[in-house]
């Protein structure tokens, strides 16, 4: 990389000690969201000079701390949650001052907050061998003694990680004991259903704030390099009713109650009455604790029978961030019941128990969602090695920020992933993510990266073995098709990015960094496996992964950490191949090659001349900024992250397969060594290519048997796909076209069928081959590889409109023997053939295909839905999406296409279908809205009225009513995840953005309130942002208020990301995208449009804001800086007591982008007020302040002299003499009123943050002026030294 990222630490942390074992006891009060805990940490010193122990701890109040049983007298604890606000009235310009206070906690790994200085009487000595044996036996007994006598340990005691850690100790261990309380859990745990009005089942679980949540609950070393064994005990109420009431169990008599017990009982009863929505059955539900490790016992408290303690042990060494638990009324489902009988017999006692936990009423969804889990864990066990833990469990909870949280032996899953038997759409994606969560137990929890740059390896291996199982589950075609789609996606995204090795250091910079790493890393391992599979004596990547897991089990992998260098060594050793060039190009290098291939047959030499050129250097260096990735570009610019060096030439072997005239494929491996490579490939066949006309005749003679007759020669013909719609009647009815006589003559002169570059899929690249179209057709019809078929369809999709191309694509779509991904790609490619130049043949073919498959005979009326065939379902969804993209030469959707979509949506019938059609309807609604949006903000009455009757505003209104009808249906009969309401809002946003309808923010903000489904709320906020309504002050305040105060961490997390998109829209000039809100550059006066051309400087600035980060930030600051509403609302969100430190860091980063830092302290002091006096009679006077304030000093009266003192006269005093100098003399027997405190105002113009205080005396005597000047950089200054610009 050209630039380096400033990272707190790249490798393991060396603190002078390591943690060998930790015991944690937590007592959780679910109703008050509080807990108290105890921990015992066994420390292994690395030297005798250890003086202090540094631990991570947040939001806790330490009540007791000892080392080896001795009280700690010297400690330092800096709770970051006490510094999440500034103690004065600060603003967004003081963001850097707040950031400095929490900067240590935003690093990875975080800075230690608790420093324990060892007492003087605690000494560290070298350990004795006999003493070490005693410690080892005692520790192992404490961990395994609670097991039943019949249990079998998978890992022998002498080979366990705990024993090895204790045997490696050179010095006597230290035991740190701590007790603490948390009065209000802000981070680390989330509580659901414990607030009044929340009707969900109450439960709580640990939540992740990247990798720093464990220290929010108990003291630990919160980084992946610190791994140790664990004992965990969690105390909680027995039932939901016990948790809601929490009434102490006292005797019946009042004397048995402690003082103030009656008040506590009445308060708890009042709290219990507020949860009256719970039935008796729900209150009687038992609370279950699901935790990392193995369950050892569950004991009811002897004193308080409403509470119980559940204990777990984790003998494997894992990091603190991989310890998680959940408490709630969970149902238990034994997922091992879905294990196949033959696998159960094969594994025997080594079969791993698989458990599922969910909230009441969702057991069937868990069984349907987790059906392949037992099969997957058996496959991984047999292929890669034993499971690293004794059992595995998945627990589904609400409000989880991310869908999957990986902890040791337990995966906490969001309920968003559950789906019932009638849902098709979520099946593939959720199953793949579920299998990945299981794979992470092997690689990600049990094996971790040695340093941050090795993260690509952990992510890549986890997803690679996930896809290997998905290959077994879904088939080879699905597997290779997904790998090809992923490789093409990598080529599109891997532009101006760091390498996957360097990206590990910035993976927390933006969510898109992790997404790209998740995409590219497994594809790199896929092509590595293809290369290793060719080596002599190699079994591919599976054997290498098994070796890594075995090394981790036996302890050969130090601390369970994997490095890129060690992985390369294992690959070279077991693969018998040097891989330096491969790792340099694909791991340490960035970018992907783009090949341009030209071929020619040399008849004289009987060779095929092939020229391969690499064109990745020709890619444009500048591209427009995008709102989705704007914040990523800004963060990379702020942290000096630069793209990896673009490689001018990728080198390595490539397999070329030439299908010659006799139909035999000949493979040739060539070595690419330079940016331009030219070589000759020998030709083997002596016969010319058979003409297509002859092949068609022979195919017609044999019918559909697939076996072609021969005429006594050796010319055997290969049966191929796409041979449907061949009769003359079908060709006429379907408006098909065959090759011309000239094309057949050229085909007859060719010496080979087609050439396939990179036939073994060993490259992540874009390939452009100059072959005639009929060669691509031969590849599409005769090559059985789904990747080759997809490449042919992609070539056809790039061609100009022609009836012959449409014929090829419709035959591909209609042939059910093709893989469904190839058929859907053909449907999408037909869109380009729907043009007026070819008489809309592509649109006709799409309509006929849908009619053939899904409509009544000889009718446009659709049949009742039948989604029992998944491949047919994908085709039924793909055709409407393709028709929605049809446009005429003016860029508008024809009425024929729009009306077709409207009819399919209106007459959809799902009455006899066992599957839900909500996703299918969603696709129809989206397709209809996209076709309507092609007209833009024009008068709909004037569009196509001369050519199509009924294509007017009435048709538009009918379409909108149909979309709104499904939205109303969803309100009464909710669909899966409210997908119909979500789609309806998307359609409204799309139509409003095109100017076809008028909308108001209230239509979307209605769905952002609490109580709506969280994904629907997030979608409503997203549509508000996309419409550019964020600039409206009320919308801005509501958005930022929800961001800072919403109780759902999922909603807050998504709103923070949406804030970045909103700023991106403003930065690149797309904020006001609704025509009603746009300030157009042209004005209309009396029907005359006057276009105003911008200056050269304005055009340059517009280009800069769209293509450069600096230009976009300058425009953003110019547009957002004057917005006082946004500034105030943003700072209020920052001061919110709800958001976590990570969310606070993201908001402060936004402030650093928008506002200049100003080291100023603003103090607000009250002005002195005037007092008044009222005579109440009988010698009573009342003094009280008025609303009038004094802002200036009382001027000294000219010529005024001080009155001489009054000399007491023994005679009777005269009233007029005694009070001659006082206009309103007070009574002497009354106490004088208290003088108001000194007050003043702040001079904000004082340089260096100096502050002036003005004293306003309430007596007439002018007192000396008091001035305090405070400089934040230089401290206090004497009052005599006047600061320029300060107020008197």
């Amino acid at each position: 990389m050209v630039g380096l990222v400033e990272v707190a630490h790249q490798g393991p942390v060396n603190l002078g000690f390591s943690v060998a074992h930790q015991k944690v006891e937590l007592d959780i009060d679910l109703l008050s969201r509080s807990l108290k805990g105890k921990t015992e940490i066994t420390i292994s010193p690395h030297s005798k000079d250890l003086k202090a122990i540094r631990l991570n701890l947040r939001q806790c109040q330490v009540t007791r701390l000892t080392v080896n049983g001795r009280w700690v007298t010297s400690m330092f604890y800096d709770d970051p949650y006490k510094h999440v606000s500034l103690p004065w009235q600060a603003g967004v310009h003081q963001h850097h001052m707040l950031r400095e206070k929490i900067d240590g906690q935003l690093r990875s790994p975080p800075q230690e907050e608790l420093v324990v200085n060892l007492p003087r009487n605690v000494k560290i000595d070298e350990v004795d061998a006999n003493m070490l044996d005693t410690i080892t036996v005692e520790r192992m007994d404490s961990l395994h003694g609670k097991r039943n006598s019949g249990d079998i340990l998978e890992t022998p005691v002498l080979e366990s990680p705990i024993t090895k850690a204790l045997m490696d100790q050179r010095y006597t261990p230290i035991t740190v004991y701590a007790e603490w309380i948390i009065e209000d859990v802000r981070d680390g745990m989330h509580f659901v259903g414990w607030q009044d009005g929340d009707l969900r089942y109450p439960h709580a679980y640990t939540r992740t704030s990247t990798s720093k949540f464990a220290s929010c609950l108990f003291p630990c070393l919160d980084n992946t390099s610190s791994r140790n064994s664990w004992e965990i005990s969690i105390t909680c109420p027995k039932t939901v009713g016990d948790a809601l009431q929490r009434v102490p169990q006292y005797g019946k008599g009042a004397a048995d109650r402690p003082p103030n017990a009656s008040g506590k009982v009445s308060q708890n009863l009042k709290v219990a009455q507020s949860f009256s929505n719970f039935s008796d059955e729900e209150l009687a539900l038992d609370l279950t604790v699901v935790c990392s490790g193995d369950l050892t016992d569950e004991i009811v408290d002897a004193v308080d029978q409403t509470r119980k303690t559940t204990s777990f042990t984790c003998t494997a060494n894992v990091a603190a961030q991989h310890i998680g638990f959940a408490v709630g009324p969970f149902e238990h489902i034994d997922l091992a019941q879905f294990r196949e009988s033959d696998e159960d017999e094969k594994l025997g006692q080594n079969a791993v128990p698989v458990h599922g936990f969910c909230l009441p009423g969702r057991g069937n969804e868990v069984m349907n969602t987790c059906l392949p889990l037992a099969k997957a864990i058996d496959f991984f066990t047999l292929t890669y090695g034993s499971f690293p833990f004794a059992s595995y469990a998945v627990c589904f909870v609400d409000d989880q920020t991310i869908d999957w949280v990986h902890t040791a032996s337990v995966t906490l899953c969001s309920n968003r992933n559950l789906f019932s038997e009638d849902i098709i759409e979520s099946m593939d994606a959720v199953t793949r993510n579920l299998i990945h969560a299981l794979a992470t137990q092997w690689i990600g929890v049990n094996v971790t990266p040695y340093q941050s740059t090795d993260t690509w390896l952990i992510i890549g291996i986890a997803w690679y073995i996930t896809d290997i199982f998905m290959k077994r589950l879904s088939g080879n075609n699905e597997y290779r098709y997904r790998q090809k789609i992923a490789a093409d996606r990598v080529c599109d995204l891997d532009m101006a990015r760091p390498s996957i090795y360097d990206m590990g250091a910035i993976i927390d910079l933006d969510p898109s960094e992790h997404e790209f790493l998740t995409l590219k890393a497994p594809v790199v391992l896929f092509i590595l496996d293809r290369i290793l599979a060719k080596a002599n004596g190699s079994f591919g990547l599976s054997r290498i992964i098994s070796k890594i897991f075995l090394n981790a089990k036996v302890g050969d992998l130090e601390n369970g950490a994997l490095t890129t260098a060690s992985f390369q060594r294992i690959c070279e050793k077991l693969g018998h191949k040097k891989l330096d060039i491969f790792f340099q190009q694909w791991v340490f290098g960035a970018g992907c090659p783009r090949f341009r291939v030209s071929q020619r047959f040399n008849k004289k030499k009987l060779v095929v001349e092939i020229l391969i050129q690499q064109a990745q250097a020709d890619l444009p260096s500048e591209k427009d900024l995008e709102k989705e990735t704007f914040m990523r570009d800004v963060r990379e610019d702020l942290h000096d992250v630069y793209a990896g060096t673009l490689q001018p030439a990728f080198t390595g072997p490539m397999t070329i397969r030439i299908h010659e005239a006799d139909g035999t494929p000949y493979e040739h491996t060539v070595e690419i060594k330079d940016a331009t490579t030219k070589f000759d490939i020998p030709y083997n066949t002596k016969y010319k290519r058979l003409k297509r006309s002859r092949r068609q005749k022979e195919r017609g003679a044999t019918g559909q048997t697939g076996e072609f007759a021969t005429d006594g020669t050796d010319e055997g013909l290969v049966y191929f796909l796409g041979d449907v719609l061949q009769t003359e009647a079908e060709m006429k009815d379907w408006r098909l076209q065959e090759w011309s006589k000239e094309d057949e003559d050229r085909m007859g002169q060719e010496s080979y069928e087609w050439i396939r570059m990179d036939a073994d899929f060993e490259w992540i690249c874009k390939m452009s081959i100059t072959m005639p179209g009929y060669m691509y057709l031969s590849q599409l019809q005769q090559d059985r590889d789904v990747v080759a078929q997809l490449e042919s369809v992609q070539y056809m999709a790039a061609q100009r409109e022609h009836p012959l191309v449409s014929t090829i694509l419709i035959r591909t779509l209609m042939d059910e023997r093709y893989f469904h991904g190839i058929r859907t790609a053909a449907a999408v490619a037909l869109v380009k053939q729907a043009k007026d130049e070819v008489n809309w043949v592509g649109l006709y073919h799409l309509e006929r295909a849908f009619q053939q498959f899904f409509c009544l005979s000889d009718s446009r009326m659709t049949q009742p839905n039948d989604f029992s065939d998944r491949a047919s379902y994908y085709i039924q969804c793909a055709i409407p999406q393709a028709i929605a993209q049809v446009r005429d030469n003016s860029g508008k959707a024809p009425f024929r296409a729009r009306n077709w979509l409207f009819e399919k949506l209106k007459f959809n019938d799902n009455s006899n279908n066992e599957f839900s059609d909500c996703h299918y309807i969603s696709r129809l609604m989206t397709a209809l809205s996209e076709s309507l949006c092609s007209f833009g903000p024009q008068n709909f009455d004037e569009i196509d009225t001369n050519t199509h009757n009924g294509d007017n505003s009435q048709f538009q209104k009918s379409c909108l009513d149909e979309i709104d009808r499904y939205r109303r249906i969803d309100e009464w009969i909710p669909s899966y995840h409210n997908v119909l309401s979500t789609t309806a809002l998307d359609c409204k946003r799309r139509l409003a953005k095109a100017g076809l309808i008028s909308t108001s923010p209230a239509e979307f903000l209605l769905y952002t309130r609490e109580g709506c489904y969280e994904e629907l709320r997030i979608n409503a906020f997203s549509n508000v942002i996309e419409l550019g309504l964020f600039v409206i002050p009320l919308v801005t305040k509501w958005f930022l208020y929800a961001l800072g105060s919403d109780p759902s961490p999922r909603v807050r997390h998504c709103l923070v990301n949406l804030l970045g998109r909103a700023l991106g829209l403003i930065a690149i000039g797309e904020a006001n995208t609704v025509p009603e809100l746009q300030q157009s550059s042209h004005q209309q006066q009396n029907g005359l449009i006057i276009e105003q051309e911008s200056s050269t400087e304005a055009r340059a600035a517009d280009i800069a804001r769209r293509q450069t980060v600096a230009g976009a930030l300058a425009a953003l600051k110019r547009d957002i800086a004057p917005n006082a509403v946004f500034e105030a609302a943003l700072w209020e969100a920052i001061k919110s007591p709800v958001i976590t430190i990570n969310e606070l860091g993201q908001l402060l980063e936004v402030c650093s982008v928008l506002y200049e830092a100003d080291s100023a302290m603003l103090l607000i002091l009250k002005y002195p007020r005037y007092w008044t006096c009222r005579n109440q009679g009988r010698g009573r006077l009342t003094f009280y302040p008025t609303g009038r304030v004094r802002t200036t000093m009382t001027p000294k009266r000219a010529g005024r002299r001080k009155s001489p003192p009054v000399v007491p006269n023994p005679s009777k005093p005269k009233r007029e003499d005694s009070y001659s100098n006082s206009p309103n003399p007070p009574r002497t027997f009354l106490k004088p009123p208290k003088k108001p405190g000194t007050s003043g105002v702040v001079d904000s113009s004082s340089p260096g943050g100096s502050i002036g205080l003005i004293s306003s005396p309430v007596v007439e005597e002018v007192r000396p002026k008091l001035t305090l000047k405070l400089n934040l950089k230089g401290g206090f200054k004497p009052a005599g030294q006047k600061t320029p610009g300060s107020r008197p």
Side-chain angles (χ1 to χ4, degrees), residues 191-256:
F191 298 81
V192 180
W194 301 102
Q195 296 180 350
D196 188 16
D198 194 343
L199 302 181
R200 293 173 294 180
Y201 283 101
H203 59 284
Y205 57 90
T206 55
R207 58 179 297 259
T208 174
S209 302
T210 62
S211 61
K212 315 176 187 74
F213 80 95
S215 58
C216 296
L217 302 179
F218 51 85
C220 62
L221 281 180
D222 204 353
N223 59 76
T224 55
S225 62
S226 177
R227 295 159 56 88
N228 54 272
S229 56
W230 296 82
E231 291 182 70
I232 305 171
S233 298
I234 298 176
T235 302
C236 66
K238 283 182 57 179
T239 65
V240 175
D242 296 335
L244 293 179
Q245 295 184 9
R246 292 294 296 121
V247 181
Q249 299 296 319
Y250 304 119
K252 296 182 180 179
D256 297 330

Side-chain angles (χ1 to χ4, degrees), residues 576-622:
H576 309 289
K577 186 178 180 63
K578 297 296 291 183
L579 298 172
D580 293 334
I581 297 178
F582 178 88
F583 276 80
Q584 190 63 37
Q585 292 182 158
W586 300 107
V587 177
F588 304 110
C592 297
R594 281 164 167 78
F595 295 111
R596 289 200 296 255
V597 182
S598 59
Q599 49 80 30
R600 187 177 71 89
F601 179 69
N602 192 325
K603 294 183 180 180
K604 294 182 179 180
K605 298 181 180 180
L606 285 180
V607 295
V608 180
E609 299 175 349
I610 296 181
L611 176 65
I612 301 179
Q613 296 176 319
Q614 299 189 35
Q616 58 267 18
D618 300 338
L619 296 175
S621 58
E622 296 292 339

Side-chain angles (χ1 to χ4, degrees), residues 19-21 136 139-140 143-144 154-168 227-229 314-318 388 446 552-555 557 559-560:
V19 179
H21 179 72
T136 303
R139 180 61 62 197
M140 296 307 299
L143 288 175
H144 301 299
E154 292 188 1
T155 305
V157 172
L158 294 179
E159 298 181 1
S160 67
I162 308 166
T163 307
K164 291 181 178 295
L166 293 173
M167 293 295 293
D168 292 338
R227 295 159 56 88
N228 54 272
S229 56
C314 184
T315 57
N317 288 345
V318 295
N446 185 48
K553 180 179 179 180
V554 300
L557 203 63
N559 199 28

Side-chain angles (χ1 to χ4, degrees), residues 958-998:
S958 300
C959 295
L960 297 178
D961 291 343
E962 194 65 27
I963 292 175
D964 197 60
R965 180 174 72 89
Y966 281 104
R967 181 191 61 80
R968 295 195 305 271
I969 291 176
D970 194 43
E971 293 180 354
W972 293 97
I973 308 175
S975 59
Y976 177 73
H977 290 179
N978 290 118
V979 65
L980 295 182
S981 296
T982 301
T983 307
L985 293 182
D986 290 337
C987 294
K988 278 190 174 182
R989 182 255 307 164
R990 201 175 288 113
L991 295 170
K993 206 169 182 179
L996 296 178
I997 63 174
S998 59

Side-chain angles (χ1 to χ4, degrees), residues 721 780 783-793 818 822:
L721 302 173
L780 174 63
D783 202 320
R784 296 184 178 182
D785 187 4
V786 68
V787 175
Q789 297 170 3
L790 183 59
E791 290 174 348
S792 298
V793 173
Y818 277 109
I822 305 301

Side-chain angles (χ1 to χ4, degrees), residues 741-752:
K741 184 66 170 56
E742 293 77 8
D743 293 332
E744 290 187 356
D745 292 340
R746 284 196 300 269
M747 285 188 285
Q749 299 300 321
E750 294 291 347
S751 300
Y752 44 85

